[in-house]
Each structure stands twice: as C-alpha cells, then as structure tokens.
Amino acid sequence: MIEIKNLHKSYPIGKDSLHVLKGLNLHIKEGEFVSIMGSSGSGKSTLLNIVGLLDIHDEGEYFLDGQKIENLDEKKAAILRNKFLGFVFQSFNLIGYKTALENVALPLYYKGIGRKERQKIALEYLDKVGLKDWAKHLPSELSGGQKQRVAIARALVTKPKVVLADEPTGALDSTTSSSVMEMLKDINREGMTVFVITHEEEIAAETDRIVRLKDGVIISDELTHKKAKA
Amino acid sequence: MKFLFDKDTWQEIYSGIRKNKVRTGITIIGVMWGIFLLVVLLGAARGLENKFNNLFGDFATNSVFVWAQSTSKPFKGFQEGKRMTLKMSDLENIKNEIEGLAFVVPRHQTQAQAVNNFKSGTFGIFGDYPTLDKVQKKNLTYGRFINDNDIEKKRKVCVIEEEIYKQLFDKDEYPIGTHIKINDINYLIIGMYKEGAIGSGGPQGAIHIPFTTFQQVYNRGNTVGWFMITGKPEFDIKQIEADVKLLLRNLHKVHPKDNRAFGSFNLGEQIAKVTGFLIGMQFLTWFVGIATLIAGVFAIGNILLITVKERTKEIGIRRALGAKPWEIKRQIILESVFLTSIAGALGIIFGGLVLMIIDATIGKGPDSVLINPTVDIPIVLIATSVLVVLGTLIGMIPAQIAVSIKPIEALRDE
C-alpha cells in the first residue's frame, strides 16, 4: 500500500538546510496497523506529511497504492488525498462553524457527491462512531473525545485506503484515548490500513507494528507482542 | 461555470457568511458606503444641475440685455451726462448691421396697479412683441401670447403670470376673456403662463401688453425701454454685446469709448459661469465617487486578506480533505463577488431612499435647493458592476495567497 525507498527530505533554515529524513525505507502492506514512534524532531511528522501528500519529498521514491508519486501539482495531490487518504489530527481540525454532520460530509462535497447522498453517508458514519444524536451540534459543543470521533468519521467517510492519524490521542485523557484507539483498531479489523504517529509507548503498543524513528533514520521496525502472538 | 448554479456552492458560501457575521457586516458596510456615496453625490449633483436648468430654462442662454443710460464723456458738442434713449429706429439698425443675431426684442417696462373687482395689486407692466416668446419661453397654461395683430391694432389685451391670477382672482375662476383694469384702462386677458424661477416681472409677477399699446398708453412715443438680444449659437455673445453697444454709440453720437452711455447685462456670460461651475461639480462628484468606490474595493481586498489569514487553518483542513486549489479560490472569489453585489444593492437602495428623502424635504416648491435629484439606472448598474469586477480582481489576491500556503503550513497555523 505504502512503499518508500531511500526517502530524503530537508528544510531550508536561513542559508543552511535541515536534513530531516535521511534515506528512509519502509513498506506498509494493505490492512496493516502501524505506528511511527519517535521523539519530537525525529522526523515522524515530516514522514506523515509526505505520506499524506501534504508535503513533497526531495529524493527517493514513494509509491501509494502502486502509483508513483512524482511531479505532483496541488490539484492532483488534492484528488489523491480525497481518494486514498483519511486524516485524523491531534487538534481534531474540525471546522468550527459547521455541525458535526457537515464536517463529516465535507470530504464528500469535494468528491462531488450530491447533497442528499452526502448527508445520508455522513450520518451513517456518525452513527458508526456513536454520535448520531450529536449530528446537529457544533464542535464547540462536543467533548474532546467526541470531537476526535467526529474527525475519525470524517476520515473514514470517503472509504480511503489509508487512515493517517497524527497523535490522535495527544489532546485526550487516557480513558478517551483508549476508546479512540479501540475505534482505530475496529477500523483496521475492517481491513483498512491505519498509520498512527505517536510518541506515547502505550498508544504504540496498541498497534501491530512499531517503526521507531530517530534523527531521520529508522532505528527499529518490529511487530508488537500482540501481533506476534496472534 | 456549472458550479455557479450548484446549490452546494451557495450552501458553502452561505454558511461561511452566516457564521462570520461581524466580518461579513464590516465588508458589506464598507462597500455599501462607497456605492451609497456615489449614488447620493450623483443624485445631488443632478438635482443642482436641474435646479440651474430650471432657473435658466426659459431663457435663451446666449442673451444680452441692452438699455440706455447717460453719457460719461462730452462728445461732438454734447456735454457729459446727456440722457440717452433707445428708439425703434435702433432696432432696424441693429438688425441690419450686426452679424449673428437670432432675435432682437424691444421691450418697455413700468409699474402699475391692476384691479379686478375688489382685488388689486401693483405689478410689473411690460410692453412686448410676440418674439419675446422665442427668447424667453412662456409656458402658457391658458390662452395665447400677444400676436402681430395685437401689435398692429394696439389692442388692449394682456397676458398675465400665474402669480397675478392668484392675487387678483378667486380660486377656480377662469381668467381668459375677463377684463382687468390697469391705470383705469380695461384690458382683456388673453393668456396666462407659469413663470420659471427667474421671474422677469419681479416678485409681484408680470403683465404683458402689446408693445405698441404700451407706447401709446404710457406716452412713450417711438422709444424702446431696452433690447433683449439673442445670438445664434455659433456666435460669441460677448462680441455681439460689444458690437451692439458700439453701433448704438455711433448712432446716438456718443464718444466711442463712453462705457456708461449704454448699459448691458450679458446673461450668456453669467450662464457660462454657472455651467462651468456645474461641470466642475460633476467632475468633483465623479472623482469623489470613484475614489470612494476604489477605497471600497480596497476595503474588500483588505478584509478578504484578513479573512484568508483568519481561515488559513480552515483552508488547510479543506485541502487535506481533498479540496482542489481552484475550489478554494473560487469559493473566496465568489464570496467576494456575492458580498459586493449584496452591498452594492444595499448601497443603491439606501442611496435611493436618501435621494427620495431629499426630494421630499428640500426638493419641493419654488425655493427648492435641488430639483428632482436622480441617478441614471445605467450609471448605477455600471458602477455596481465595476465594483463587482474590481472586487473579483482584488479577491484574487487573497485567493491566490490562500492556495499558495502549503496545506501542511496552513494546518500548523494556530
């Protein structure tokens, strides 16, 4: 599903440039539940941005669903994001003046799906995350856990191939964190590839495979005990 | 262009606008103010122009009045201070000698008491030729003006101004065919007219009788009170004025440089001054109006820029969810166009209301400052479309900025 070969990325800082990713190789197959671990500055967010087509790599190759990602203009990137990827962010990133239902329906709008259909699908997914009754509420009227569940419903609504979660529990307490992780596990069980970025060991331990990053290099890539047992 | 008719596009814009009331309000007020000012200024300028046109409307604008005074220089044996009198023979001489004349109308004037039954008043009495109607258009409400027959037969007939009718007659009384008494002579009323704002008969109003009748009744012999002279449009009225006065000095044996012997009032020159003022005012109106519009457009651009900055994150989210750059751009531009159009429409409505109020308060009656202050619909529509087009163009700047921010940076924006 995701194949990365010798990936390099550097950011210009003044006259110098900061070399963030130093030749990563990573292969994630369809249906995997992977977490990227690393302290801040390890390059894990940069990796997620590149995988999420929000940023462009300098060197190396990146295949998404067998498609080589190169010379990507914003329009193509937008179409690919809409088609293949679902995002879950640490700060939820819901649009404040839209209701939960409208937030979930938004990716479908950009996919070009009709209004009625959109509302129906969005409501289905809200139901799936257990927030059907909150459909008409604004994000400001929801708790952190509820917000993240709305964000997950939004990430899933276009039936993407990969769900990318950037510190999905970073802003949540431990109880809600575990319920969010349960939800991601459920999604994974349905066959979706889930890609989580975190710096919390407990969260990473919930996933099937942990990739550890340090200073732009992969230092370990192993299956968790859970997966090994299963 | 299909998206323009897509309900979803408007749904997005509507929700964007509805949820950002303050921003929307400020934008609308800024633009509305611009178009409002333009409408009111143009309307007021038009009203003033109408007022002036109304003042001079009844006069041939290239007119000069010439009358006799007394000499200021001794000449050919005559002493200084000799009283001058215009004569009917001068009329023929002027007509023959001076180039570019349209009409030369000899007139006489006096004041007298007019009586109708028990009502009376003192009015200006004018001895006139039918040609007066050509130079100073009479808007007759009833009857006719003096004709050649009246002149020839020295008839005792008169044409009165509406003001006089009001003073001498009861309401709803029909004046034509009745008689009024002026200096104990009965005159048959043959016509009544509504005078423009510049009344030639002074505040009391004017009564016109045939010139020849006037000469006979008031014992004026073959003299003329003054001449009203109009030039053809292509001739310079100032030159005509100078020529006529020089000719009169020659005919009356006055020193060629005696400026006092014959007086004159050049209406054409006065009107040219006012017209110049009006043109200047129109220019000012347009200048201020357009400058305000441009300021309004910059206000839109500015507010949209703030909007984009404010919504950077939202735009980043939308793009992460698969919004194409063009979709983001067109939403911002469409929002701008929509807001400017609404604001423009509101500005026109409020401007129109203010013009209506002006019209209802200071635009009525003979002393009105502004008459019929209006704005041409095409001008307003053009101004609004210019505003919308400029709004679109300036909306492109923030739209471009919005999409030039990388989605990843936009998402990071707090």
Side-chain angles (χ1 to χ4, degrees):
Chain A
M1 179 54 57
I2 292 168
E3 196 170 1
I4 286 166
K5 285 176 187 165
N6 193 30
L7 192 77
H8 283 271
K9 176 73 186 176
S10 34
Y11 290 109
I13 295 174
K15 279 176 187 166
D16 303 322
S17 74
L18 184 67
H19 203 172
V20 184
L21 297 181
K22 300 164 183 167
L24 296 191
N25 289 292
L26 186 63
H27 188 91
I28 297 170
K29 288 190 274 302
E30 193 162 356
E32 274 197 280
F33 191 7
V34 185
S35 61
I36 307 286
M37 280 282 298
S39 55
S40 60
S42 60
K44 59 185 195 308
S45 285
T46 309
L47 178 62
L48 180 99
N49 291 334
I50 291 170
V51 170
L53 303 176
L54 293 170
D55 210 346
I56 304 159
H57 55 277
D58 299 334
E59 258 178 65
E61 288 174 325
Y62 169 31
F63 295 90
L64 176 63
D65 198 32
Q67 192 175 342
K68 190 171 183 186
I69 304 300
E70 57 183 354
N71 303 326
L72 211 55
D73 64 25
E74 260 306 322
K75 191 181 164 188
K76 277 190 214 155
I79 294 168
L80 286 176
R81 278 198 291 267
N82 191 268
K83 196 171 164 191
F84 288 113
L85 306 171
F87 289 92
V88 177
F89 301 97
Q90 175 176 6
S91 50
F92 322 126
N93 282 348
L94 299 175
I95 294 175
Y97 61 81
K98 284 176 173 292
T99 64
L101 186 71
E102 285 169 337
N103 266 294
V104 176
L106 198 58
L108 296 172
Y109 169 66
Y110 288 119
K111 209 173 181 179
I113 290 173
R115 184 171 174 74
K116 285 248 173 69
E117 184 74 4
R118 230 156 56 207
Q119 302 252 334
K120 209 187 99 204
I121 300 174
L123 201 61
E124 243 170 62
Y125 276 86
L126 268 183
D127 194 20
K128 220 171 176 177
V129 297
L131 288 174
K132 197 180 179 182
D133 297 339
W134 300 83
K136 297 285 172 207
H137 287 248
L138 291 175
S140 55
E141 297 160 344
L142 301 175
S143 71
Q146 285 172 324
K147 279 185 208 167
Q148 197 59 297
R149 272 143 73 191
V150 172
I152 289 170
R154 186 178 65 180
L156 296 178
V157 78
T158 52
K159 298 196 181 74
K161 300 258 181 184
V162 182
V163 170
L164 298 171
D166 184 7
E167 304 272 8
T169 60
L172 303 175
D173 60 52
S174 54
T175 337
T176 31
S177 286
S178 61
S179 83
V180 164
M181 283 314 289
E182 277 309 314
M183 201 166 280
L184 289 176
K185 270 191 246 174
D186 287 344
I187 295 162
N188 177 244
R189 249 175 250 133
E190 284 170 26
M192 207 173 282
T193 312
V194 180
F195 193 93
V196 180
I197 283 192
T198 185
H199 64 275
E200 291 173 76
E201 284 291 346
E202 309 91 85
I203 298 299
E206 299 276 326
T207 64
D208 299 342
R209 179 181 166 191
I210 302 176
V211 177
R212 286 177 202 278
L213 267 184
K214 192 178 183 187
D215 297 331
V217 192
I218 293 173
I219 51 168
S220 77
D221 183 351
E222 55 202 12
L223 297 179
T224 54
H225 300 302
K226 247 172 50 182
K227 186 71 180 179
K229 269 183 227 160
Chain B
M1 280 295 140
K2 188 173 150 275
F3 70 92
L4 273 183
F5 304 101
D6 189 1
K7 196 182 163 195
D8 291 322
T9 312
W10 294 103
Q11 192 78 30
E12 276 296 299
I13 287 173
Y14 172 70
S15 59
I17 286 171
R18 193 168 56 104
K19 304 290 165 59
N20 296 286
K21 288 193 187 92
V22 175
R23 195 188 75 213
T24 309
I26 291 170
T27 314
I28 285 181
I29 288 171
V31 180
M32 198 183 82
W33 185 245
I35 202 100
F36 169 81
L37 270 186
L38 186 72
V39 168
V40 172
L41 278 175
L42 282 178
R46 169 67 62 84
L48 204 57
E49 196 185 332
N50 285 346
K51 171 71 177 174
F52 280 117
N53 281 342
N54 197 289
L55 281 178
F56 299 121
D58 299 336
F59 275 101
T61 47
N62 51 343
S63 306
V64 59
F65 307 156
V66 180
W67 60 88
Q69 299 174 157
S70 55
T71 58
S72 64
K73 287 185 166 93
F75 191 61
K76 286 195 173 171
F78 292 110
Q79 289 216 337
E80 176 190 344
K82 178 193 169 198
R83 275 271 354 139
M84 307 305 302
T85 315
L86 292 171
K87 297 199 164 60
M88 279 307 278
S89 59
D90 294 332
L91 174 66
E92 288 313 308
N93 282 316
I94 290 171
K95 278 183 178 168
N96 292 336
E97 298 288 328
I98 309 294
E99 215 190 341
L101 296 178
F103 297 101
V104 182
V105 186
R107 301 189 73 184
H108 260 307
Q109 178 188 5
T110 188
Q111 290 233 324
Q113 199 186 41
V115 184
N116 175 40
N117 293 331
F118 298 108
K119 292 183 175 181
S120 69
T122 303
F123 306 110
I125 312 295
F126 291 82
D128 280 318
Y129 272 94
T131 40
L132 180 72
D133 193 36
K134 298 271 196 328
V135 180
Q136 194 182 359
K137 185 81 194 135
K138 301 294 177 210
N139 301 315
L140 287 156
T141 39
Y142 297 115
R144 62 172 176 86
F145 197 66
I146 295 159
N147 65 19
D148 290 333
N149 238 337
D150 300 328
I151 296 287
E152 206 176 304
K153 297 189 172 147
K154 300 180 184 173
R155 281 185 176 146
K156 304 283 187 294
V157 293
C158 69
V159 176
I160 61 168
E161 201 180 331
E162 204 177 67
E163 189 59 32
I164 291 168
Y165 167 78
K166 284 181 190 156
Q167 291 186 40
L168 293 187
F169 289 86
D170 291 328
K171 218 182 165 202
D172 299 330
E173 203 175 340
Y174 186 64
I176 310 299
T178 61
H179 288 80
I180 54 171
K181 212 181 256 186
I182 307 167
N183 293 107
D184 287 328
I185 299 167
N186 276 313
Y187 290 85
L188 176 71
I189 297 175
I190 53 169
M192 185 176 100
Y193 69 93
K194 208 176 152 80
E195 184 58 271
I198 290 187
S200 53
Q204 278 97 23
I207 298 174
H208 302 261
I209 62 175
F211 189 80
T212 46
T213 313
F214 191 103
Q215 281 179 325
Q216 193 177 50
V217 166
Y218 294 101
N219 202 17
R220 295 295 164 93
N222 211 18
T223 64
V224 172
W226 82 93
F227 287 114
M228 270 176 78
I229 301 167
T230 55
K232 289 178 182 156
E234 65 269 25
F235 285 87
D236 181 14
I237 192 67
K238 277 182 84 173
Q239 189 57 46
I240 290 174
E241 179 187 12
D243 289 350
V244 167
K245 283 164 85 174
L246 191 62
L247 176 70
L248 288 173
R249 282 180 214 132
N250 278 332
L251 291 169
H252 292 262
K253 295 189 176 66
V254 175
H255 192 283
K257 289 193 174 140
D258 189 339
N259 285 327
R260 206 178 69 185
F262 297 99
S264 64
F265 175 77
N266 196 328
L267 189 65
E269 209 181 330
Q270 302 302 320
I271 287 176
K273 277 182 196 164
V274 173
T275 313
F277 166 72
L278 278 180
I279 289 170
M281 203 183 58
Q282 264 172 346
F283 171 77
L284 192 71
T285 303
W286 276 104
F287 182 78
V288 170
I290 288 170
T292 319
L293 272 190
I294 289 172
V297 169
F298 275 102
I300 302 172
N302 202 0
I303 284 163
L304 280 174
L305 263 179
I306 296 168
T307 304
V308 165
K309 192 90 197 81
E310 213 174 70
R311 290 167 76 181
T312 301
K313 184 145 193 189
E314 180 197 323
I315 290 165
I317 297 168
R318 284 171 183 275
R319 290 175 74 185
L321 297 180
K324 297 173 209 53
W326 162 237
E327 286 173 318
I328 298 287
K329 257 190 187 179
R330 100 186 162 192
Q331 195 191 335
I332 290 168
I333 292 171
L334 217 56
E335 237 181 86
S336 151
V337 171
F338 180 70
L339 288 181
T340 23
S341 309
I342 294 274
L346 284 176
I348 291 169
I349 291 169
F350 282 121
L353 281 177
V354 166
L355 288 183
M356 278 168 78
I357 291 167
I358 288 175
D359 190 42
T361 50
I362 58 170
K364 292 272 181 277
D367 299 330
S368 60
V369 185
L370 304 169
I371 292 174
N372 197 15
T374 49
V375 183
D376 291 336
I377 298 275
I379 286 178
V380 170
L381 290 184
I382 287 168
T384 314
S385 27
V386 165
L387 190 68
V388 169
V389 168
L390 289 179
T392 312
L393 290 180
I394 208 129
M396 288 197 179
I397 298 172
Q400 189 54 47
I401 287 172
V403 294
S404 69
I405 303 171
K406 282 186 178 168
I408 174 69
E409 281 159 26
L411 278 173
R412 238 183 253 143
D413 186 81
E414 287 296 338

